[in-house]
Amino acid sequence: EKAGYKHFMLKEIFEQPQAITNTVSGRINLESGVVNLPEVGLLPKDLEDIDRIFLVACGTSWHAALVAKYWIEEFARIPVEVDIASEFRYRTLLMNRRVLTVSISQSGETADTLAGIRIARKMGAKILTICNVVGSTMTREADGTIYTHAGPEIGVASTKAFISQLSALFLFSLYLGQIRGTIDGATGKRYGRALIDIATVVAEELPRLQEEIGSLVENYYDSRDFLFIGRGLNFPIALEGALKLKEISYIHAEGYASGELKHGPIALIDKDMPVLALVPRDKVYQKSISNVEEIKARQGRVIVIGTKGDDYLHNITDDVIYMPEVDEVVNPILYTVPAQLLSYQIAVKRGCDVDQPRNLAKSVTVE
Ligand code: M6R
């Protein structure tokens, strides 16, 4: 059942290329990049009329929502608000029929997320759900469902479900942009291609990453605390990396937007507080480099995940993990993988039960 892998979590990490392909296939024209999503259950006209989107989710699914905000605002130019479901449901919502509410949930049963869409529906909003479990409660209550098709996820820590959520949300963002005419044909095609190709890139890199990260963990596994930092599209990936690490290894970890370091957390930096920094060569690259230099200047230990060929990274830290260069819009999908593997390997080295971490359940149906 684990197909030779030591844990379900590792098996599911290695199933991610397939999960991306399952999510994407049949929904995008390989030649033109045009996305087709009849299952959203809303007419193109409804989608043209939307003037705001709420994304509602918990945990890892909330991190997928945070990435999607960047994509939707960039591709479709619709303002997006991202809410943790347990906050959304208890605050004053400014909602009407021109607001689309999207719930994101692997299980489709998370109590707070479900309550959130029920409230939004009552207030007249249209409801879409991005979900992995076929026939789950959320899919039955929404106007439309984009299934992620990641396949069953057994490990309590979400991995392939997250990657599929990102892929589905990328498709949806592109679809919205195409319907609303905010993305031109050539750009749509380039982004579509980047999404399709990322499955192959992840498949090619997985074995190497597993090995390289394996040789790093010796120096990091007995830390008490950890920071994960990133900017832009990779800020939510820093949050996700930190959540993975705390869930399965019980190391205290926090994710931060790199630019926030100097507003407080930099006070924590010393040799006992390692930092994982996501530093792809993207439009915020220079700023991210400065953040790593600030940490180094305070004797911090930093693992940098950056772009192949970026030799400068070796000047600022000893531990560099290189990723191939891809279109920067799909970087969050790619950069999730090393963060997952680092958390996994640290947890295994600490002797933790990674598939069944203490105090956690796969599906949270209590409020
Ligand atoms: O089934 P859902 O996506 O609604 O679940 C949401 C969270 O409970 C879930 O992502 C949780 O944070 C995972 N354990 C993270 O690995």
Side-chain angles (χ1 to χ4, degrees), residues 57-63 104-111 113 130 133 138 153 155-159 161 165 240 243-244 247-248 357 360-364:
C58 301
T60 287
S61 300
W62 176 65
H63 297 151
I104 303 159
S105 175
Q106 188 284 131
S107 62
E109 306 294 346
T110 302
T113 312
I130 313 275
V133 175
M138 260 178 242
E153 190 178 65
V156 164
S158 180
T159 53
Q165 287 169 339
E240 171 60 7
L243 175 61
K244 270 324 59 119
E247 273 190 293
I248 61 171
L360 290 172
K362 183 69 188 160
S363 172
V364 183

Side-chain angles (χ1 to χ4, degrees), residues 55-363:
L55 302 177
V56 183
C58 301
T60 287
S61 300
W62 176 65
H63 297 151
L66 290 170
V67 176
K69 174 183 167 75
Y70 288 79
W71 284 332
I72 296 172
E73 291 184 343
E74 167 85 20
F75 302 173
R77 308 279 154 168
I78 307 171
V80 177
E81 285 189 46
V82 182
D83 268 76
I84 293 174
S86 58
E87 291 298 315
F88 180 81
R89 58 181 296 201
Y90 300 116
R91 73 183 177 92
T92 302
L93 295 170
L94 305 179
M95 190 78 78
N96 59 47
R97 50 187 55 255
R98 299 185 62 161
V99 176
L100 174 67
T101 299
V102 184
S103 69
I104 303 159
S105 175
Q106 188 284 131
S107 62
E109 306 294 346
T110 302
D112 284 318
T113 312
L114 187 57
I117 61 170
R118 285 179 177 157
I119 291 168
R121 165 178 295 291
K122 268 204 193 117
M123 296 180 80
K126 301 181 182 69
I127 314 291
L128 174 67
T129 189
I130 313 275
C131 191
N132 195 42
V133 175
V134 176
S136 57
T137 310
M138 260 178 242
T139 67
R140 283 185 271 117
E141 298 200 8
D143 295 304
T145 299
I146 303 177
Y147 280 112
T148 43
H149 299 308
E153 190 178 65
I154 311 293
V156 164
S158 180
T159 53
K160 66 174 180 174
F162 177 64
I163 285 278
S164 296
Q165 287 169 339
L166 291 178
S167 307
L169 286 160
F170 187 96
L171 274 178
F172 179 61
S173 310
L174 204 51
Y175 179 65
L176 275 179
Q178 288 168 348
I179 282 187
R180 296 169 67 101
T182 45
I183 207 161
D184 64 71
T187 313
K189 193 169 163 176
R190 180 159 66 85
Y191 289 170
R193 211 45 273 165
L195 178 64
I196 293 164
D197 291 347
I198 201 71
T200 317
V201 177
V202 172
E204 283 168 2
E205 299 303 318
L206 265 166
R208 174 189 63 90
L209 288 172
Q210 165 78 337
E211 219 181 281
E212 281 185 23
I213 292 169
S215 59
L216 274 187
V217 290
E218 186 62 40
N219 300 328
Y220 293 96
Y221 80 96
D222 59 353
S223 308
R224 239 186 54 181
D225 309 276
F226 232 102
L227 272 183
F228 287 69
I229 60 169
R231 279 177 181 265
L233 282 163
N234 290 303
F235 159 48
I237 305 310
L239 297 179
E240 171 60 7
L243 175 61
K244 270 324 59 119
L245 187 66
K246 60 190 138 191
E247 273 190 293
I248 61 171
S249 76
Y250 316 135
I251 294 175
H252 164 237
E254 288 191 69
Y256 260 97
S258 311
E260 273 289 290
L261 273 189
K262 54 179 155 313
H263 300 285
I266 201 162
L268 294 167
I269 299 290
D270 63 12
K271 60 179 186 7
D272 299 321
M273 176 84 168
V275 181
L276 180 120
L278 304 171
V279 189
R281 254 208 208 112
D282 57 12
K283 60 180 176 214
V284 285
Y285 170 76
Q286 282 305 338
K287 299 286 171 194
S288 304
I289 289 286
S290 317
N291 296 131
V292 174
E293 287 170 339
E294 285 154 16
I295 299 167
K296 279 316 245 184
R298 289 162 183 83
Q299 278 67 57
R301 284 188 296 151
V302 188
I303 304 172
V304 169
I305 308 198
T307 309
K308 240 173 228 168
D310 184 356
D311 296 332
Y312 183 72
L313 298 178
H314 279 298
N315 299 336
I316 52 175
T317 190
D318 297 330
D319 293 326
V320 183
I321 296 169
Y322 282 117
M323 306 301 288
E325 183 150 25
V326 295
D327 198 309
E328 70 176 84
V329 286
V330 294
N331 267 338
I333 299 180
L334 185 60
Y335 280 69
T336 294
V337 179
Q340 293 168 337
L341 284 170
L342 181 78
S343 303
Y344 171 78
Q345 297 209 22
I346 287 180
V348 170
K349 182 111 184 122
R350 289 166 72 94
C352 298
D353 183 355
V354 294
D355 285 335
Q356 289 287 335
R358 68 186 181 207
N359 307 342
L360 290 172
K362 183 69 188 160
S363 172

